[in-house]
């Protein structure tokens, strides 16, 4: 990989990952609508592409996207018209599921063969991987192959998902995204006190 490409990939990851972390930190108190694809079944690909930057420069990246042979059928919010999910984007598609869902995600590795295997980690969930080959942290998809991950969305919140293979390289190149687990019941006590102009009650003792 050319040093310039790797440099831009590193800068891109350093800029976007703190934003994702900030969003995740607000998940317990904020209940905003975020655009994404709805599950609980998803078919994703890992693929390369040149992404156009604001200055017009093209940067070679890797990213997750939707399998063009099995496009998603659900999008959120429903009010958004002319929705689509590209076969490669950075960050990857926002995956939206409900608390308690059994989530199934199939990943196909469309990266260049020299890139080797790839995978996805879902921190915070007990994930079962099937197919592919065993990697250091999870099941991996070989070039041209697929792997399936299954887990129960046990707790609501917003979490990052990202590659568990050669993470120092693959995350920098763009293999990361966000999964949102919507709560079955939205808490109202804290929201009510905030609406009235006050802060949530705290225990001074």
């Amino acid at each position: 990989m050319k040093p310039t490409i790797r440099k831009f990939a590193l800068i891109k990851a350093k800029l976007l990952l703190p934003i994702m972390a900030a969003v995740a930190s607000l998940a317990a108190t904020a209940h905003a609508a975020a655009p994404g694809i709805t599950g609980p079944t998803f078919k994703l690909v890992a693929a390369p592409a040149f992404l156009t930057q604001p200055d017009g420069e093209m940067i070679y990246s890797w990213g997750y996207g939707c399998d063009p042979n099995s496009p998603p059928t659900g999008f959120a919010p429903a009010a958004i018209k002319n929705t689509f999910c590209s076969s490669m984007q950075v960050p990857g598609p926002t995956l939206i599921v409900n608390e308690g869902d059994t989530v199934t995600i199939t990943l196909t590795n469309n990266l260049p063969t020299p890139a080797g295997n790839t995978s996805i980690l879902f921190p915070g969930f007990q994930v079962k991987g099937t197919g592919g080959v065993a990697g250091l942290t999870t099941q991996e998809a070989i070039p041209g192959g697929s792997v399936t991950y299954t887990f129960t969305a046990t707790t609501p919140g917003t979490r990052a998902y990202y590659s568990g293979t050669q993470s120092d390289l693959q995350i920098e190149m763009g293999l990361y995204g966000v999964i949102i687990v919507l709560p079955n019941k939205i808490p109202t006590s804290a929201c009510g006190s905030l609406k009235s102009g006050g802060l949530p009650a705290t225990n001074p003792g």
Side-chain angles (χ1 to χ4, degrees):
M1 180 185 302
K2 295 182 179 179
T4 302
I5 294 175
R6 186 175 178 85
K7 177 182 176 183
F8 277 109
L10 179 59
I11 292 172
K12 178 173 58 182
K14 286 183 176 179
L15 288 174
L16 290 174
L17 287 177
I19 295 173
M20 293 166 57
V23 171
S25 69
L26 296 173
T29 57
H31 303 284
I37 57 175
T38 57
T41 300
F42 305 92
K43 293 193 176 181
L44 304 180
V45 296
F50 282 89
L51 301 181
T52 304
Q53 303 304 297
D55 61 1
E57 184 170 355
M58 304 287 287
I59 296 190
Y60 180 73
S61 304
W62 298 342
Y64 296 118
C66 294
D67 187 336
N69 297 317
S70 300
T73 57
F75 295 86
I80 297 178
K81 304 299 181 183
N82 301 318
T83 51
F84 69 93
C85 180
S86 58
S87 58
M88 185 281 195
Q89 62 184 69
V90 177
T94 298
L95 313 179
I96 302 176
V97 299
N98 295 309
E99 182 181 1
D101 280 351
T102 298
V103 182
T104 302
I105 299 167
T106 299
L107 172 68
T108 298
N109 183 357
N110 288 343
L111 297 175
T113 301
N117 298 347
T118 193
S119 62
I120 309 180
L121 293 180
F122 299 92
F125 300 111
Q126 296 294 322
V127 181
K128 178 182 179 181
T130 56
V133 296
L136 291 176
T137 57
T138 187
Q139 290 293 110
E140 301 179 342
I142 65 173
S146 299
V147 62
T148 298
Y149 305 102
T150 304
F151 59 90
T152 300
T154 49
T155 53
T158 302
R159 297 177 176 83
Y161 67 84
Y162 45 82
S163 174
T165 309
Q166 300 183 73
S167 297
D168 57 336
L169 170 63
Q170 295 196 8
I171 294 175
E172 289 179 9
M173 288 297 292
L175 291 172
Y176 55 87
V178 168
I179 180 168
I180 299 174
V181 180
L182 300 176
N184 289 330
K185 182 178 180 181
I186 297 177
T188 57
S189 57
C191 295
S193 59
L194 289 174
K195 286 179 181 177
S196 63
L199 295 174
T202 57
N203 184 353

